Amino acid sequence: MLRAALISLLVPALPCMAGTISLQQPVDCTLGQNCYIQNYVDRDPSPGARDAGCGHLTYDGHKGTDFALPTIGAMQAGVDVLAAAPGTVKAIRDGEPDRAFVNGASVAGKECGNGILVEMGDGWETQYCHLRKGSVAVKPGDHVTAGETLGLVGQSGKAEFPHLHIGLRHDGKVIDPFDPDMTQTCAHDITRDELWSKPLAYVPSGLLQVGLADTPPSYAAIKSGIIPATTLPGDGPALVAWVYGFGMQAQDVVSLKINGPDGFHFAHDSQIAKPKALFFEFAGKKTPPGGWPAGEYRAQIALIRDGKVVNSGESHIKIN
């Protein structure tokens, strides 16, 4: 049985760990464009949670880094999981269904889902979890090189969204690749000693998709993956701006604005009461009598934290 992300150890401080190994990005995607980091290693030994950037992109006891895809559609299209470093495959698991946890099926003892354990020598090992069913491309005893394809990103095991959970351990102890020595104090120096061969930017929150529609899209449709409209009828029921993102913190403000022909302007701000790993917000205005004037409409959406815009996006549609 795969030695899974099941080991209940708190993250310890380890001296002189930085620079001993080098890791490549383990998913074949571009961070900030078609993938993002949803969760980091939990650095807080108490029941609370804190990531290496002094943020909240983690949860209590999380022991790895989650490279997430924005939609289920992206997972179904296929995104490669890559070996972060060379080593020998010690164990695998395949055949677990994707989305099992979300659908309420038991994953006890198989929280990692479809996974791969790779030993790198000198007590180092990497574990890859939640791969897509039937995609594991290696077997025990295989030697893998850095960048070699191991399988596909999936949503098997205890996974609420499509992602790769990669765990790094040394002599059985959890290591945070963003701060292996556990010496950093906040986000400004998070890349100082990280183990990634190409530094990965710490991004505490982001907008995954924005759009305009004539009715509010369902959250399920957004997570599955929809293509934002480029044209809309003038006599639809409403004009709605929507946003899908990650890393929302308590007291953040989501600002949604729509501008259009003849001086049309709509604005709505929502203040968030509690943190949300993933969020979906929308607001809009009912169609006026006679319909919307023809022309271009633009949605401007911003995530505001402590009075400053931390993320923003735009979407355009034409009404004929």
Side-chain angles (χ1 to χ4, degrees), residues 36-39 51 55-58 202-208 244-250 252 272 274-279 303 305 310-311:
Y36 64 102
I37 295 178
Q38 176 68 68
N39 291 304
D51 62 41
H56 302 283
L57 277 185
T58 187
Y202 171 76
V203 181
S205 58
L207 306 185
L208 298 174
Y244 176 46
F246 70 95
M248 180 175 284
Q249 297 184 16
D252 281 355
I272 308 305
K274 61 181 181 179
K276 295 181 180 181
L278 290 169
F279 66 89
L303 179 62
R305 182 171 299 150
V310 293
N311 300 108

Side-chain angles (χ1 to χ4, degrees), residues 30 36 47 90 99 120 123 154 200 219 224 240:
T30 302
Y36 64 102
K90 183 177 181 180
R99 307 203 73 198
M120 300 180 292
L200 303 182
Y219 192 24
S224 293
V240 177

Side-chain angles (χ1 to χ4, degrees), residues 212-217 229 231-242 285-287 292 317 319:
L212 281 162
D214 56 7
T215 58
T231 61
L232 290 174
D235 58 354
L239 187 59
V240 177
W242 58 267
K285 191 174 180 64
K286 290 183 178 180
T287 302
W292 297 104
I317 58 98
I319 290 182

Side-chain angles (χ1 to χ4, degrees), residues 210-217 232 237-244 254-259 264-271 280-287 292 298-301:
V210 301
L212 281 162
D214 56 7
T215 58
L232 290 174
L239 187 59
V240 177
W242 58 267
V243 56
Y244 176 46
V254 178
S255 171
L256 299 104
K257 297 178 181 179
I258 307 174
N259 293 294
F264 172 74
H265 178 74
F266 169 82
H268 177 82
D269 289 351
S270 296
Q271 187 169 53
F280 170 54
E281 297 286 327
F282 63 86
K285 191 174 180 64
K286 290 183 178 180
T287 302
W292 297 104
R298 180 177 66 172
Q300 295 176 298
I301 299 171

Side-chain angles (χ1 to χ4, degrees), residues 40-41 43 50-54 176 178-179 184-187 190:
Y40 297 82
V41 172
R43 301 284 300 275
R50 179 179 66 84
D51 62 41
C54 292
D176 183 355
F178 286 90
D179 181 20
Q184 295 173 12
T185 58
C186 220
I190 192 170

Side-chain angles (χ1 to χ4, degrees), residues 126-192:
T126 45
Q127 183 168 17
Y128 306 81
C129 294
H130 312 308
L131 276 69
R132 205 169 89 180
K133 180 181 178 180
S135 75
V136 174
V138 294
K139 61 183 184 301
D142 285 353
H143 178 75
V144 297
T145 57
E148 182 176 339
T149 299
L150 302 178
L152 297 173
V153 176
Q155 196 175 344
S156 59
K158 191 174 182 179
E160 297 186 10
F161 51 90
H163 71 285
L164 170 74
H165 170 103
I166 180 171
L168 177 66
R169 294 188 288 268
H170 184 253
D171 292 336
K173 298 175 181 179
V174 176
I175 306 298
D176 183 355
F178 286 90
D179 181 20
D181 297 320
M182 303 294 284
T183 57
Q184 295 173 12
T185 58
C186 220
H188 65 274
D189 66 349
I190 192 170
T191 62
R192 186 186 64 196

